[in-house]
């Protein structure tokens, strides 16, 4: 049985999308842009910091977009990359060497500002 890779999800305003139907398309595009920029930042930071024994995890960290770009899932999507989970969390014998979690945490603080700035840019 194949295990899925390790991922995190960056959510835009998908759960509020019904309420956003009346909002100008430019604002919706600004929200999607902020989600994409944050996902790409998490991807880049993860690739930079992941242990590079073979370079596989560095090459294969990826962002996938759902809900018309309002959500992004960043991480390793290939079941063959299951070992990313062991690097992130550690094992009984090896300490954790996380890269995805710290990248997400760093971006969490920037996301709100990024989203606010994109919407303000449209409203100017």
């Amino acid at each position: 049985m194949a295990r899925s890779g390790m991922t995190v999800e960056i959510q835009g305003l998908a759960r509020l999308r019904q309420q956003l139907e009346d909002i100008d398309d430019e604002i919706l595009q600004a929200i999607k842009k902020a989600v994409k920029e944050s996902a790409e930042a998490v991807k880049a930071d993860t690739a930079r910091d992941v242990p590079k024994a073979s370079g596989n995890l560095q090459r294969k960290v990826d962002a996938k977009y759902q809900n018309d770009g309002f959500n992004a899932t960043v991480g390793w999507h290939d079941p063959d990359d299951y070992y990313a989970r062991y690097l992130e969390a550690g094992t009984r014998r090896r300490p954790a060497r996380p890269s995805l979690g710290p990248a997400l945490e760093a971006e969490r603080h920037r996301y709100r500002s990024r989203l606010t700035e994109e919407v303000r840019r449209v409203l100017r």
Side-chain angles (χ1 to χ4, degrees), residues 88-103:
E88 281 293 309
T91 66
R92 281 186 280 163
R93 294 189 177 103
R94 298 212 183 242
R97 295 177 61 193
S99 56
L100 184 60

Side-chain angles (χ1 to χ4, degrees), residues 2 4 12 20 36 42 45-46 48 56 69 76 80 84 90 97 100 104 109 113 118 122:
S4 64
L20 295 173
K36 182 172 178 132
V42 170
D45 288 355
T46 301
R48 180 193 67 218
N56 181 60
W76 297 275
D80 290 341
R97 295 177 61 193
L100 184 60
L104 177 63
H109 301 292
S113 298
E118 284 300 321
V122 170

